[in-house]
Amino acid sequence: MSTTDAPAERRTSPLDRYFKISERGSTVPREIRGGLATFFTMAYIVVLNPLILGTVADADKQFLGDLTTPGAAIPLVAAATALVAGVLTLGMGVIGRYPFAMAAGLGLNAVVAYSLASGMSWEDAMGIIVLEGIIIGILVITGFRVAVFRAIPSGLKTAIAVGIGFFIALIGFVDAGFVRRIPGAVGEANVPLQLGATGSLSGWPTLVFVFGLLLTVLLVALRVKGAILIGILATTVVAMVVEAIAEVGPYNKGPGPDGKPQINPDGWQLNVPELPDKIAGTPDLSLVGQFSLFGSFERVGVTAAILFVFTVMLADFFDTMGTVVGVGKEADALDEKGDLPGIRNVLLIDSAGAAAGGAASVSSNTTYIESAAGVAEGARTGLASVVTGGLFLVAMFFAPLVTVVPFEAATPALVVVGFLMMTQIKHIDLNDYDIAIPAFLTIVLMPFAYSITVGIGAGFISYVAIKAARRRFAEIHPLMWLIAALFVLYFALDPLREILGV
């Protein structure tokens, strides 16, 4: 028998068989493109995480790394952020074998910087993150976290995916400055969001974003292979040309003579697209290991520390679950029940991410919704995550190069991915109000509250309440009662803290 007549499973390479590339309808080039696309849409975390953690003082007026100078810890946080993201994403690819990438979680790092650190030292705050990661890991090992995943009705799982689609699109618009947060009144109106800085579009960066969005939309509509990656790279080149000619500069020019930020409303939102003076350097990883596991219990008391752990744990628990459902559904990886085969390994790596992030002083690491950008490029296996993880490790040595890609070039991909995820709404039975109303609340509250956890919580609580009101108790999984009760507690945490005086 000739080689070409051999069974397909014998002709495929060990790499193909391990990652199930052919089995999931993918190819090695697709996985590489997907890994690149995911990296470029989330590489901003190497820049943004240090800006959040490295510039805020703790209760002892110390900055991360026991430094007293604001911003001095930024290069340390950048190096550790890239290291942990790279190692965990590689682990997710090799062990989880799905195209999910991990990095320091936005939102969670803000909680660490502005809530936890304000009442304790950085080491104590990072200890809380390590503790919540250990607890979530135990929940995975005991099977509880997987059981919760399987207890969620399929209609709500679809709603989570759709909600994340809207959420990720909003992130794209806001991060690009196309849509702006408004802290107070604008003219005679008091609005939370508006178009551009003044209610209309202005500035070269906005034009670059619009160009990138139109280019990516056209490429996707024309079914061009590598559409999202091509869009990111082409828009970055255009942005560099624009900056070289117009010298736009950054949105935030730094503190002025009065100490207040100097804002350039028409500037680049995070990265200025120009080649840095320094391309490579040896990373300083001295932040790794700077945490105190139980220091918070001595500093703020047992009750307050437990509430902090619970708050971070619940947000991390359901943010990841929502991301896995959304991206998994987009990758057509869920089974007929809406479950992800082999999810235990995925959740185990994710829970390790929380502990590893705290141990490295870069906050909890979690699965990123930007992984959907890689899926949109065709990624279906963990090989894409291996590519993304490898790039993060490279970024640890070439961190300045990460700053070449501005938000305005990367965020069009998020908007397009949002559309692709939104198309799944057709699988929700909108005639069945028992599921349609909870699905609606899940979908709209993710972008409106700017939180995956809030959307999931509202959907779960309303689902249980409606089923109970209709006396359809048999249709409510026992775990859904527990989850709904926990979310009620989660939403009532602030009043509870006031009652307990913590």
Side-chain angles (χ1 to χ4, degrees), residues 139 143-152 321 347 477 479 483:
L139 294 178
F144 179 80
R145 200 176 185 188
V146 177
V148 169
F149 183 89
R150 291 173 177 165
I152 304 171
M321 189 163 292
L347 296 179
H477 193 285
L479 282 177
I483 299 166

Side-chain angles (χ1 to χ4, degrees), residues 451-463:
S451 168
I452 294 174
T453 301
V454 168
I456 293 175
F460 283 17
I461 292 172
S462 58
Y463 173 81

Side-chain angles (χ1 to χ4, degrees), residues 314-484:
L314 201 65
D316 201 1
F317 190 105
F318 286 102
D319 261 20
T320 295
M321 189 163 292
T323 300
V324 168
V325 170
V327 179
K329 198 167 185 65
E330 179 65 20
D332 198 26
L334 305 185
D335 60 23
E336 63 279 358
K337 296 180 180 178
D339 297 331
L340 185 76
I343 189 175
R344 185 176 182 274
N345 288 341
V346 171
L347 296 179
L348 195 59
I349 296 296
D350 183 86
S351 61
S361 298
V362 295
S363 183
S364 177
N365 274 235
T366 187
T367 306
Y368 257 55
I369 54 179
E370 281 86 348
S371 303
V375 170
E377 276 295 343
R380 295 293 181 269
T381 78
L383 182 58
S385 293
V386 171
V387 173
T388 303
L391 289 172
F392 268 117
L393 294 181
V394 170
M396 186 171 59
F397 296 91
F398 297 91
L401 283 179
V402 175
T403 65
V404 172
V405 182
F407 263 176
E408 290 80 1
T411 49
L414 300 184
V415 177
V416 173
V417 169
F419 155 73
L420 295 174
M421 297 182 72
M422 180 275 298
T423 59
Q424 299 172 29
I425 198 170
K426 61 179 179 265
H427 299 299
I428 300 175
D429 184 1
L430 299 179
N431 293 316
D432 180 3
Y433 282 14
D434 286 17
I435 196 67
I437 293 175
F440 168 75
L441 292 174
T442 299
I443 292 168
V444 299
L445 281 175
M446 281 189 191
F448 290 171
Y450 217 71
S451 168
I452 294 174
T453 301
V454 168
I456 293 175
F460 283 17
I461 292 172
S462 58
Y463 173 81
V464 171
I466 291 172
K467 288 291 187 183
R470 294 172 64 98
R471 299 182 180 278
R472 295 180 174 177
F473 301 106
E475 298 178 17
I476 307 174
H477 193 285
L479 282 177
M480 290 297 290
W481 285 103
L482 175 60
I483 299 166

Side-chain angles (χ1 to χ4, degrees), residues 479-495:
L479 282 177
M480 290 297 290
W481 285 103
L482 175 60
I483 299 166
L486 288 174
F487 269 117
V488 170
L489 178 60
Y490 176 77
F491 289 128
L493 273 178
D494 281 343

